Each structure stands twice: as C-alpha cells, then as structure tokens.
Amino acid sequence: MEVQWRAGPGEEGRKQRVLGLHKLALPVVAEYLLQTLLGTVDIYFAKGLGDEAIAAIGVTNLVVNIFIAIFTAVSVGVTSIVSRRVGQEDWEGASAAVRQSLLLGVFLGLLTGVAALAFQGPLLRLSGAQEDILGFAVPYFLITAVPSVFLCLLTVLSACLRASEDSVTPMLASSSANAVNIGLNWLFIRMGLGIVGLGLATTLSRVIAAAALLGKLLWGRGRLSVRGGDWRPDKKLLGSIARIGLPACGEKLVMRMGQLVYAGLIISLGTASYVAHNVTGNIEGYVCIPAIGFGIATATEVGVSLGRKSAERAKQYVYLSAKIAGIYTVVLSVGLYVLAPGLAVHFAQGAEAQGYIVQLLHFITFFEIFNVSAQVLTNALQGAGDTLFPMIATLFGIWGIRVGLGYLLSIRLGLGLMGIWTAYVLDIVLRSGVLFLRFRWGKWTQILL
C-alpha cells in the first residue's frame, strides 16, 4: 500500500498535509510500538528468571544496538536516495537503489554475525557483564546476535518501503513478528528453555518479518520492486549510499559506544541500578515513539519534496511534524508520570530497583519534548542527505555530556543513577537547539543526490 496524496495551498493544503503525515507516520508509530513491545515482552518473561536475566538481555541489546548502528549506514543512505527518486517519479532508479542496498545489507549482516561469534566474550564484558550475568548473557547473545543478517535485512527493507511512502507493510510485518514472539516466549518458557527460549523467540520473529518484507518487494504489486533487474554491484550507487549513510552510521555508533561506556558506569552502581536503568529506558521508549514515527515520515517527505525541487514544502512538513509529535508526546508523558509506580512494580522485583524506576520516570517526563525536536530535526537533515552535522552533534553530546558529565555527576559527585540521567537530559536539550540552528541555516536544501 502506498500513500498517494498532494497538498494544495492555504488551509485546505494544511489539512491535507496533516492527513498525509498521519497516514505515513501512524503505521511507523505502530511498527515501533510493536518493536518496543518486543523488548518489553522479553523483559517481562525474563522477570521470572531473576534480575540477572533482565540484565543479560540489557547487555546483549547494547551490543546488538551497535550492529543496528552499522546497518543504519544502509537504511539512511537508501532512504535519502529512494525518496528523492520517488519525488522525481523515477521508480526504476528507486528499485535499483533497493537492490544495491540489499546486497550491501547481506554483506554487513553476515560480517557482524561472524564478529559476534568470534568475539562474544570480549563484547559482553565490554558492555559491563559480570560473571553472574554472563551465564544468562552468552546463550541469549549467541542466539540473537550471531544471526544478525536477518535483523539487517529487516532494517533495510523497512527503510526502503517507507521511503517509497509505504509505511503500512513494515507495520504489518512487525505485527506478525510480535504475535509470533509473544506466543513463542510463552511456549518456550513453559517448556523450561529459559533464556534460550527468549532468544529463539526473538530471532524467529525477525526471520518471519524480514521474509514478509522481502516477499512484498519480490511479488507485490507496488511500483517499487526488486524482481528482475540488475543485481550486479553498482559502484556508483553503492558509493552514493555509503556517502550519505556512513555519517549516519557514525552518529549511531557514537551513540551506541557511548551507551556501552556509561552502561559500565551504571553496572558499577549495582545490579538494582542497572535493572532500573534498563526498565526505565524500555518504558520511556514508548513515549519516544511518536517522535520516531513522525521523524521517519519527515525524512521521507523531505526527500520527496526536494526531489520535486520544493524546499518550502519540505520545511512545512518538518515544522508540522514536530508540532504533531510534540502534542502526542506531552499527552503520553503525563500518562507515564501517573502510571510510574504501577509500572515499576510490574517490571522489577526488588524494592530498590522499583524506587529508582519511579524516580527516573518522574524526572524524564518533563524533558521528553526535547527528544521530539532532536528526533524530527535529525531525520529531516538525514532525509535531505545532510548526515555529517548530526553525527558531529551526537559525538559531542554523547561523549562530552552523557559520558563525561555523566561520570562526573554519578561517580565523582555521588549522584548515582540520577547523575547519569541528568547528563542524558542536558544532552537532548542542547542537541535539539544545535540541530534547530543547522536546520534554519538551510544548507540541507542545496544537497544534490
């Protein structure tokens, strides 16, 4: 299914833009809601295995998130190129970009899988896993991280379809994968497979989702298709994907490596702090979903608009997307503040961890609006092909503020977990301001792809 609409001038045009953004963004919101639910379900089932199992999933996801950052190089690059070609109504050029992205995605997925198998111990220890956690983390890591080629294909295929203004198909694939994951989690836990069962359920759900998306591009009736065509590596097209995608990959790697380092700081504060950090981050992820969904929709519409040589149209969508996502985020933040005590009891066993979770959730809800602007503006710049500046902003924010200031506040000044999250808040506040200045400068409107 493709979202086809055109916005005219005046109030009627604004209503069409609002409707069009919702048609494109809401399936993305639903998709990311389901993906976040995937992680929440694992934590919920892991709760019965003890806090060490929850921590094992957390340290594994830190490493997997680094792999996802690498896959971002392909997904962001192909998003910019495909959306620009869609705006130019060059469907053959868009399909060619998808074929090249799949070749690159398979290569990267296999490469990261081999690295996961070869360096499992060092990677988990680098993420802060202690001996009591490693017994749970190693089997979960091997089952979910080694076959990362399926996660890579899922990431790239979803980006390709969304860039063609089809955000419904990735959402439907995620829905199916979630149903499978929940059912298999329940079944494997009942069978006594423990953490191994949770890992198997996660990986099988990724395989199913990736297969569904690939089937859409092979046998679907949309104008974007990989059936037939030239599958030989195209150096020029692969170079364009890499030129746009590598800075975006760098941005994500900087963020994930920073998270890896300050995860070590959190683990040094004790298991209760680490569990509280993971649970809080997972719950907060739900509040961030509108910003993610409308941010991705913004990247597509910026690319399409620039393909039609209309920078003004692109700006209208950026401002409108930030406003809509902001409204949704404020509503969700209020709900999160009220529900925090109940959520803490539901997702953590120890009283100490539960107390930390309530404190952190009450704190972070006041600053979620800055996450909206940072997310939407980053996606807008990336959709235009301006990926280097967001990487530089992230580099300073993660290592200068989250890691550097976080260490000072949490360890040196003794603020503990609250010091880590205070540094996180300062990062998103300052980064959203810097990204806004870059957006207002307007250089992104002059990038040629």
Side-chain angles (χ1 to χ4, degrees), residues 60-121:
T60 296
N61 287 339
L62 284 172
V63 179
V64 171
N65 284 339
I66 292 175
F67 293 168
I68 294 174
I70 297 172
F71 306 154
T72 298
V74 187
S75 63
V76 171
V78 78
T79 293
S80 297
I81 293 173
V82 170
S83 62
R84 191 74 67 95
R85 299 295 178 267
V86 170
Q88 297 165 349
E89 299 190 357
D90 177 11
W91 289 96
E92 180 50 43
S95 297
V98 174
R99 286 190 288 270
Q100 295 300 308
S101 71
L102 290 179
L103 291 175
L104 189 54
V106 169
F107 172 75
L108 288 177
L110 293 175
L111 186 64
T112 54
V114 170
L117 182 61
F119 303 107
Q120 54 185 280

Side-chain angles (χ1 to χ4, degrees), residues 185-239:
N185 269 328
W186 178 85
L187 176 63
F188 291 156
I189 289 293
R190 290 289 295 269
M191 292 172 61
L193 296 181
I195 196 75
V196 171
L198 298 183
L200 283 172
T202 297
T203 295
L204 288 173
S205 67
R206 289 171 180 167
V207 171
I208 291 171
L213 296 178
L214 184 59
K216 168 71 174 182
L217 288 172
L218 281 171
W219 299 294
R221 298 181 179 179
R223 287 182 285 180
L224 189 69
S225 175
V226 297
R227 186 171 59 252
D230 189 355
W231 283 90
R232 291 173 299 180
D234 183 328
K235 291 183 179 180
K236 182 178 180 181
L237 198 46
L238 287 172

Side-chain angles (χ1 to χ4, degrees), residues 127-342:
S127 65
Q130 305 297 323
E131 292 302 321
D132 59 332
I133 297 174
L134 279 174
F136 289 90
V138 169
Y140 186 81
F141 180 82
L142 289 175
I143 295 169
T144 57
V146 172
S148 58
V149 64
F150 299 107
L151 179 58
C152 184
L153 287 175
L154 178 58
T155 302
V156 173
L157 288 165
S158 296
C160 292
L161 287 164
R162 286 193 294 259
S164 69
E165 297 186 313
D166 176 9
S167 56
V168 174
T169 301
M171 183 267 292
L172 294 176
S174 290
S175 300
S176 301
N178 250 280
V180 170
N181 182 65
I182 293 172
L184 290 180
N185 269 328
W186 178 85
L187 176 63
F188 291 156
I189 289 293
R190 290 289 295 269
M191 292 172 61
L193 296 181
I195 196 75
V196 171
L198 298 183
L200 283 172
T202 297
T203 295
L204 288 173
S205 67
R206 289 171 180 167
V207 171
I208 291 171
L213 296 178
L214 184 59
K216 168 71 174 182
L217 288 172
L218 281 171
W219 299 294
R221 298 181 179 179
R223 287 182 285 180
L224 189 69
S225 175
V226 297
R227 186 171 59 252
D230 189 355
W231 283 90
R232 291 173 299 180
D234 183 328
K235 291 183 179 180
K236 182 178 180 181
L237 198 46
L238 287 172
S240 295
I241 293 173
R243 177 173 57 84
I244 300 167
L246 284 177
C249 169
E251 181 209 351
K252 296 298 182 184
L253 280 175
V254 163
M255 181 176 291
R256 299 311 180 192
M257 292 300 294
Q259 289 174 345
L260 203 61
V261 170
Y262 69 73
L265 297 179
I266 298 167
I267 285 181
S268 71
L269 300 174
T271 301
S273 292
Y274 190 69
V275 169
H277 176 77
N278 279 326
V279 171
T280 301
N282 194 274
I283 294 173
E284 187 215 5
Y286 287 96
V287 179
C288 297
I289 288 174
I292 294 172
F294 280 90
I296 290 173
T298 301
T300 298
E301 290 306 330
V302 165
V304 171
S305 298
L306 294 180
R308 296 175 187 164
K309 303 186 183 303
S310 177
E312 186 59 34
R313 179 183 188 272
K315 293 176 183 179
Q316 290 174 350
Y317 282 114
V318 174
Y319 289 125
L320 186 59
S321 182
K323 181 178 180 179
I324 296 171
I327 293 171
Y328 286 128
T329 299
V330 168
V331 172
L332 289 174
S333 296
V334 172
L336 182 61
Y337 189 95
V338 173
L339 297 174

Side-chain angles (χ1 to χ4, degrees), residues 1 28 44-45 65 108 136 160 185 212 242 281 284 348 366 399 414 427 429-430 433:
M1 175 182 175
V28 181
Y44 176 78
F45 281 103
N65 284 339
L108 288 177
F136 289 90
C160 292
N185 269 328
E284 187 215 5
F366 290 99
W399 288 96
D427 171 33
V429 170
L430 293 175

